Amino acid sequence: MLFKDLRKGLSVTLKYLFTHAVTCQYPTQRLNVPERGRWLHALNLHEESQKIKCIDCGLCEEVCPSKCIEIIPTENEDHTKSPAIYNIDLGRCCFCGLCVEVCPELAISMSDKYELAGYDREKFVFTKEDLIKVGIEYNNKLQKKEGAL
Amino acid sequence: MEKKVKIKINGKEFEVDSEKSILQAARENGIYIPAICYSDRFGAIGACRICAVEIAGMKKPMLSCAAKVKDGMEVTTNSPALDQLRREIIYEWDTFHPLQCGVCDKSGECELQNINYEFNITENPKEAQTDPLSIPQGTIHYEWKIIHHDANLCIQCRRCVAVCDKVVNFGILALVKKDGDRKEIDTKDGKPLDCEFCGQCVSVCPTGAMSSKLFKYKARAWEMEKVPTTCGFCSSGCQMDLNVKNNEILRVTSEEYTPNMANLCNLGRFNYSVSKSDRLIKDYSLNSKTLNQEAMLLELSQILKNTPKEKIFGISGARETHEDNLAFKMFFNNTLSNNNIDSLSSTHIGKLYKYLPQSVNTLYDFSDISDANLIICFGGDIANEMPRIDWSITRGAKLLKTSKVISAYWKDTKIDTLGSIPLRYEPGRELDFLTSFAFALKSEGYGAGLDGLDSLTGSEFDVSSIMEEVKKASNIAFIVCQEALERSNGEEIAKAVSNIALLLKDKIKVYASSKYNNAFGALYNNYGSSNEFSIQRLLEFAKEGKIETLILLNADLFSFLSDNEAKIVRDSVKNIVLFDTFESKTSLIANAIVPVPFFTSQSGTFINAEGRVNKINKAIECNVPCAWEFLFKLSTNLGYNLSSAKLQLKDKKITLNGPADKIYTINTNSSVKGDGEFVFIANYSKFRTSVYSGYGEGAKLAQSQSVLHISKEDAQRIGLNDGDIANIEANGASIALPVKIDEQMPKSVLAAQLWFENTNPYNITGGFNNLVRANLTKAQGGLK
């Protein structure tokens, strides 16, 4: 058969000419990230009291292979323990997710926020307030999603 | 001697002392028996029952901590029955033990966690059978100072009760009945804890039930690095570990294998925050101007060059490291080629070791106190001066029951609760006891053949009650307290003690107490050897204009002189150069200030009252060099190179030089200064060893101010109640102090503690004296 290879090749090309494009036109267009993806951390609050779930047991700090978590605890008025400072240095974080896995209080989880590039190393340090904000936003999003379902 | 017996443990034969318990014998030979409540510090309690072992011929398992070994005994430490028994006990502890390991400070070093892990307990059949609502809520003592107790976490092993009673001899804790059958650890009287706050209970608690408030939620056990060091708060030289995280000391712990058996007092265990006090001196300054190190070196060498060498004087506070202390001596002896130098150890132990003959001046280990047949504690409240000696006495008298105690003092103290033979003299009449004792010894034939025996004369003081014990004893520990030596007639007291030591030569071990952590190091470095200058003559020399430049190394003038005397020194000395760690009243009046790191921030050695050379290790960084480094640089600037090789101490234990055997003639004509109605004594609190020790949280919380101890009778007569302010007047000066009625105080005697910031008792006694006759009035205007 004459031009067998050429015909075969062209047919593939022609097929792709009429199929849907796979390239995502980032940043105008965004992909949905997988549900269990490991992106930016979030600190969660108790739904009723709106108090931070973290009790500073120090397990995430200990388990973190890149030692990027820093917690300074404080004693609350009701003699419970919570973090006064909770910093994650994303410049060091390797997004292994061990902190989430080890957390006994489900206080830390991971959100779907993956755009973490920056111009300043210092801005890679996410504080407790930053992470709580992420948590609130992500949880609201999840709730909306559940509502839609 | 101790008898040896043969026993079989798990089929293996061992030879052990007959005095040992099965648990001790097994541990010595590397056989593990689980035990929660047992500790060598206080012996068997028999509360946890987990150390039970099977003994051939016995129907029931026996507690190995309490059962002594017997010849031919066959012991099994592990069997299915024992395992089941132990599991049952652990299930009981675990039943509704709050699952708050995530926040519990003990987590990670918790013995309950460990034993659960060891037995691989993952579920608890007991808990499944129990109704959660039937579990009573235990008390959580938020109101206690320094120590936190959560009864819910308690497994009732009674370790805290045992340590408080048998080691500290305070006995405030007990297992008391709460509503119903339930029992809880609480104070015996149910009032908020008011004790020595030594935290021994915290250190022995296997769970998080007893914990330190100062450490609460500060860090997890595994996050801290333990830096072994020696305590710098008194001359006991307790070995401890500074637990450091992020360049900050978060708590202090100690291990059972240390010579102090993990025992620490309030200052050692809880006063670590001194190291981050906001009153640390950080900058070099000259006449209130901050300089850098180079400029300071230049300025100081200029000052020293401009002063005639014989007009430069130095005083060491005996609190710095051995290296600093020796460098200071070398700086004077070599660089400045004079010996115008003395240390604060000359105010007390210096007097004693000046006279104590070489043959009896060996420094012995404190553990020998516990082994002595007879312990004579003379001249002070040892529990306030050096808690470690107090624990050694308690161990001998209460726990091992090997020692009898004689306490010679003007007041009943804690050691009198050990069933001691009390000898009470009037304050200031120490010599009556000492001379009578020496005379009685001579009459009994002790010291036969010594020269000068005839010069010994007795007094009316009756010592017959103790002579029987003294004759019986073959091993006597004689403890001389700092308070007695600090009297204005301290030298005579030292001579009288020397006489007694010489008379009892073969069976006496003399110990001296000192609140200054390196006082014995200063003696070892031959401080106080100058024939002309001594610290007692400081004022005289200053007034005569002999001192132009005075260098103070960790010596706060206001901690051994009255405010007035310190002012005289200030006014008559041109330059005061202060090397110190903390701001003090002296740092306010000094011309030049050189910062010195605190003992937690430097490496070196301290020499303790046992003569041991103890290492200290740098735990926290600070950018100030050690005093010896600065002095060496200064010396180089002055044209003399000192060799740092000499600073190294190779010995593990030091010996002191003393005179040849000699019986001293005692001058008993001592007159007490002043003419008031009361006798006022400046003595010590167990919560201070210096003014700066009050900059730490632990000491401050335990006792915030100096208080006036007064007998009930006297207080009523003058109309004083607890907390009222009283004025004490003597020598034309007066001090105001809050009153504390103390039932143990004799009539017409007042006592206040030194080194508190609210007052300086030396103002009325005068420096180098701690006893004065004074008048007492109630302050007008009531409470301040």
Side-chain angles (χ1 to χ4, degrees):
Chain A
M1 289 284 270
L2 205 60
F3 306 123
K4 185 189 170 192
D5 293 345
L6 184 69
R7 276 211 324 267
K8 211 175 184 175
L10 268 178
S11 73
V12 172
T13 313
L14 281 172
K15 196 171 108 198
Y16 275 98
L17 259 181
F18 298 103
T19 52
H20 194 71
V22 283
T23 310
C24 171
Q25 295 301 318
Y26 182 83
T28 51
Q29 209 184 359
R30 272 151 213 250
L31 288 175
N32 275 334
V33 296
E35 221 170 87
R36 291 170 62 192
R38 300 201 292 264
W39 319 107
L40 179 61
H41 310 74
L43 283 176
N44 302 319
L45 304 177
H46 284 292
E47 253 169 54
E48 280 153 31
S49 61
Q50 289 297 300
K51 280 183 184 156
I52 191 162
K53 278 185 178 175
C54 174
I55 53 166
D56 184 10
C57 65
L59 290 182
C60 50
E61 208 175 355
E62 181 66 15
V63 80
C64 179
S66 49
K67 297 281 166 255
C68 64
I69 303 180
E70 185 200 2
I71 319 177
I72 293 174
T74 181
E75 187 179 351
N76 300 321
E77 267 172 31
D78 57 354
H79 305 289
T80 54
K81 188 184 181 187
S82 61
I85 288 175
Y86 192 112
N87 288 343
I88 299 184
D89 184 353
L90 293 182
R92 298 183 60 135
C93 180
C94 63
F95 297 92
C96 62
L98 284 179
C99 49
V100 178
E101 225 161 279
V102 80
C103 184
E105 299 287 312
L106 305 181
I108 190 165
S109 57
M110 278 175 160
S111 68
D112 59 352
K113 208 172 164 191
Y114 54 86
E115 288 154 308
L116 303 166
Y119 289 104
D120 198 340
R121 272 179 193 279
E122 275 152 35
K123 290 202 179 123
F124 289 147
V125 180
F126 277 62
T127 62
K128 183 177 94 176
E129 289 71 28
D130 298 336
L131 296 167
I132 288 176
K133 223 168 97 187
V134 175
I136 292 171
E137 278 169 18
Y138 183 60
N139 285 327
N140 285 344
K141 204 164 158 188
L142 282 184
Q143 267 171 13
K144 253 188 221 165
K145 221 178 185 181
E146 263 170 39
L149 282 172
Chain B
M1 288 313 284
E2 283 149 339
K3 236 173 65 191
K4 294 270 182 190
V5 293
K6 280 185 178 161
I7 64 160
K8 258 188 183 172
I9 306 176
N10 295 346
K12 267 193 185 171
E13 204 172 69
F14 299 102
E15 209 182 60
V16 292
D17 284 343
S18 61
E19 286 298 296
K20 295 270 152 88
S21 65
I22 299 172
L23 182 67
Q24 283 172 321
R27 281 189 178 179
E28 266 175 24
N29 293 296
I31 294 168
Y32 172 75
I33 300 173
I36 292 281
C37 70
Y38 178 82
S39 163
D40 281 339
R41 283 158 86 176
F42 42 70
I45 303 172
C48 78
R49 314 186 318 278
I50 207 153
C51 66
V53 291
E54 283 169 357
I55 299 169
M58 298 267 189
K59 272 185 195 162
K60 281 184 178 172
M62 297 284 286
L63 299 185
S64 66
C65 64
K68 290 253 166 74
V69 290
K70 276 195 197 113
D71 207 28
M73 204 179 230
E74 279 179 43
V75 179
T76 316
T77 64
N78 230 335
S79 73
L82 282 176
D83 189 69
Q84 192 51 36
L85 181 82
R86 288 173 186 158
R87 271 168 195 277
E88 291 292 327
I89 298 167
I90 300 169
Y91 289 149
E92 207 169 295
W93 289 336
D94 285 350
T95 306
F96 299 103
H97 182 92
L99 274 179
Q100 36 178 264
C101 301
V103 291
C104 181
D105 286 327
K106 194 75 182 179
S107 182
E109 50 183 22
C110 171
E111 288 179 47
L112 187 61
Q113 279 181 345
N114 291 352
I115 202 127
N116 271 285
Y117 192 72
E118 187 189 320
F119 282 82
N120 196 16
I121 289 169
T122 50
E123 53 189 18
N124 185 353
K126 271 225 168 100
E127 192 159 289
Q129 291 157 13
T130 319
D131 173 16
L133 295 175
S134 73
I135 299 295
Q137 279 290 311
T139 322
I140 305 177
H141 291 281
Y142 294 116
E143 78 280 12
W144 290 2
K145 282 192 288 186
I146 301 176
I147 290 160
H148 177 80
H149 178 57
D150 184 345
N152 297 308
L153 297 167
C154 178
I155 58 168
Q156 307 199 340
C157 66
R158 300 210 302 271
R159 268 183 166 193
C160 48
V161 178
V163 84
C164 194
D165 183 39
K166 288 186 178 153
V167 177
V168 187
N169 187 25
F170 201 84
I172 194 169
L173 294 172
L175 199 59
V176 291
K177 264 205 173 141
K178 295 275 156 166
D179 39 82
D181 295 338
R182 212 160 50 85
K183 283 179 173 178
E184 253 180 36
I185 299 287
D186 201 346
T187 53
K188 276 179 184 163
D189 54 6
K191 287 182 189 156
L193 192 68
D194 184 16
C195 65
E196 299 188 358
F197 298 105
C198 56
Q200 301 275 54
C201 46
V202 176
S203 75
V204 289
C205 186
T207 68
M210 285 279 177
S211 58
S212 156
K213 278 195 163 176
L214 308 179
F215 176 64
K216 197 178 180 195
Y217 297 161
K218 284 274 156 64
R220 310 313 308 272
W222 55 84
E223 292 173 346
M224 294 168 292
E225 187 200 351
K226 288 188 175 180
V227 182
T229 193
T230 306
C231 181
F233 285 112
C234 82
S235 62
S236 297
C238 294
Q239 297 298 303
M240 60 191 200
D241 296 325
L242 303 172
N243 290 226
V244 183
K245 186 189 168 191
N246 294 340
N247 207 28
E248 195 183 320
I249 301 169
L250 294 178
R251 66 167 176 179
V252 173
T253 52
S254 185
E255 301 289 339
E256 278 202 24
Y257 56 74
T258 57
N260 45 304
M261 300 184 92
N263 296 321
L264 293 174
C265 71
N266 169 278
L267 289 172
R269 196 185 304 279
F270 292 129
N271 213 28
Y272 47 86
S273 54
V274 174
S275 64
K276 56 167 186 198
S277 157
D278 50 2
R279 296 172 75 172
L280 276 172
I281 299 175
K282 293 189 182 83
D283 301 310
Y284 296 89
S285 72
L286 182 73
N287 298 324
S288 321
K289 252 194 326 207
T290 306
L291 301 175
N292 62 14
Q293 203 196 125
E294 284 72 38
M296 191 69 186
L297 278 168
L298 282 178
E299 294 282 354
L300 270 188
S301 28
Q302 209 52 50
I303 289 175
L304 293 176
K305 271 179 197 161
N306 290 343
T307 315
K309 278 185 177 172
E310 70 280 2
K311 286 193 145 189
I312 306 175
F313 286 76
I315 290 178
S316 137
R319 291 204 169 93
E320 63 283 343
T321 59
H322 164 74
E323 287 74 14
D324 288 357
N325 187 279
L326 182 55
F328 195 50
K329 186 93 194 327
M330 281 158 67
F331 184 76
F332 271 80
N333 291 170
N334 301 337
T335 317
L336 303 174
S337 41
N338 72 24
N339 198 15
N340 297 334
I341 185 166
D342 203 356
S343 80
L344 285 179
S345 58
S346 300
T347 64
H348 51 291
I349 56 165
K351 295 175 187 168
L352 180 63
Y353 286 91
K354 189 157 95 186
Y355 296 111
L356 203 60
Q358 180 97 49
S359 56
V360 284
N361 81 350
T362 320
L363 300 171
Y364 295 97
D365 284 355
F366 292 141
S367 57
D368 296 351
I369 297 178
S370 319
D371 298 336
N373 315 123
L374 183 64
I375 301 166
I376 305 175
C377 184
F378 157 71
D381 184 353
I382 194 67
N384 282 343
E385 293 190 4
M386 272 170 75
R388 189 166 160 203
I389 295 186
D390 175 42
W391 303 327
S392 300
I393 298 173
T394 307
R395 189 173 168 82
K398 202 168 190 174
L399 188 69
L400 306 176
K401 299 199 168 72
T402 46
S403 328
K404 276 245 164 203
V405 180
I406 295 170
S407 92
Y409 192 41
W410 50 266
K411 177 190 174 186
D412 287 344
T413 57
K414 207 173 78 178
I415 56 170
D416 289 301
T417 59
L418 296 168
S420 72
I421 306 173
L423 287 178
R424 295 287 165 266
Y425 50 76
E426 277 172 47
R429 308 298 301 169
E430 287 80 12
L431 284 173
D432 289 357
F433 157 66
L434 293 172
T435 51
S436 283
F437 188 29
F439 187 70
L441 287 173
K442 185 189 88 172
S443 314
E444 292 287 344
Y446 286 100
L450 282 167
D451 284 342
L453 271 187
D454 301 337
S455 67
L456 293 177
T457 49
S459 74
E460 286 165 19
F461 194 85
D462 183 19
V463 291
S464 56
S465 57
I466 65 166
M467 289 314 290
E468 204 54 43
E469 291 296 335
V470 174
K471 272 191 280 179
K472 257 197 313 199
S474 59
N475 186 354
I476 302 173
F478 193 92
I479 297 154
V480 188
C481 292
Q482 186 176 348
E483 183 187 323
L485 291 171
E486 292 252 15
R487 295 259 194 270
S488 53
N489 63 344
E491 299 235 350
E492 298 304 316
I493 290 172
K495 286 180 195 167
V497 170
S498 301
N499 288 348
I500 290 168
L502 205 55
L503 289 168
L504 289 169
K505 194 171 179 178
D506 299 323
K507 55 180 190 178
I508 197 168
K509 289 177 178 170
V510 180
Y511 296 85
S513 92
S514 172
K515 286 283 215 184
Y516 298 86
N517 51 311
N518 198 30
F520 287 81
L523 286 189
Y524 178 68
N525 289 338
N526 278 324
Y527 275 80
S529 60
S530 163
N531 293 326
E532 288 141 37
F533 178 67
S534 72
I535 190 161
Q536 281 85 357
R537 303 185 71 188
L538 174 68
L539 213 60
E540 184 188 321
F541 270 57
K543 277 185 198 162
E544 286 169 11
K546 285 184 182 162
I547 308 178
E548 194 175 315
T549 299
L550 178 65
I551 310 180
L552 303 168
L553 177 61
N554 285 323
D556 175 4
L557 290 176
F558 294 85
S559 74
F560 61 94
L561 294 176
S562 71
D563 292 359
N564 216 2
E565 288 163 332
K567 198 171 166 287
I568 293 172
V569 172
R570 165 64 282 189
D571 292 343
S572 39
V573 172
K574 193 174 156 202
N575 306 304
I576 293 183
V577 181
L578 176 71
F579 287 69
D580 212 342
T581 315
F582 296 97
E583 287 169 11
S584 60
K585 282 196 208 161
T586 308
S587 75
L588 294 175
I589 57 165
N591 299 87
I593 299 170
V594 179
V596 176
F598 194 44
F599 81 93
T600 54
S601 302
Q602 58 178 317
S603 297
T605 48
F606 284 148
I607 296 171
N608 77 345
E610 300 170 302
R612 277 177 195 258
V613 179
N614 290 318
K615 276 213 167 72
I616 58 164
N617 292 307
K618 188 178 194 165
I620 46 177
E621 289 299 322
C622 87
N623 48 11
V624 177
C626 296
W628 68 264
E629 289 176 54
F630 188 87
L631 282 168
F632 275 31
K633 280 183 192 164
L634 191 60
S635 178
T636 313
N637 275 13
L638 293 173
Y640 191 98
N641 281 324
L642 291 169
S643 138
S644 62
K646 281 195 185 151
L647 295 183
Q648 298 249 329
L649 248 183
K650 288 192 187 74
D651 306 335
K652 288 246 154 61
K653 197 154 178 166
I654 57 144
T655 49
L656 297 171
N657 295 323
D661 288 3
K662 186 185 171 199
I663 292 285
Y664 298 96
T665 318
I666 317 290
N667 173 14
T668 49
N669 307 326
S670 61
S671 58
V672 178
K673 272 210 271 180
D675 52 1
E677 169 193 6
F678 290 89
V679 175
F680 173 84
I681 297 148
N683 59 8
Y684 309 93
S685 157
K686 56 174 75 72
F687 305 117
R688 293 291 186 281
T689 59
S690 52
V691 178
Y692 70 73
S693 55
Y695 299 173
E697 232 177 322
K700 212 187 291 171
L701 284 171
Q703 188 179 353
S704 61
Q705 54 183 353
S706 178
V707 290
L708 183 75
H709 286 255
I710 183 170
S711 69
K712 210 169 178 177
E713 226 171 298
D714 290 331
Q716 274 170 354
R717 190 161 53 81
I718 298 188
L720 290 165
N721 290 316
D722 269 340
D724 286 355
I725 305 288
N727 278 326
I728 309 110
E729 221 182 296
N731 286 336
S734 79
I735 55 172
L737 282 169
V739 167
K740 186 182 176 190
I741 294 167
D742 182 347
E743 310 225 333
Q744 283 161 340
M745 287 296 285
K747 219 177 141 252
S748 313
V749 180
L750 307 170
Q753 307 82 46
L754 288 164
W755 299 326
F756 282 84
E757 284 189 273
N758 62 332
T759 194
N760 180 1
Y762 285 128
N763 283 354
I764 58 170
T765 63
F768 313 111
N769 176 30
N770 56 7
L771 184 87
V772 73
R773 293 205 79 89
N775 283 313
L776 178 73
T777 48
K778 189 175 175 174
Q780 295 306 309
L783 287 166
K784 256 193 240 173

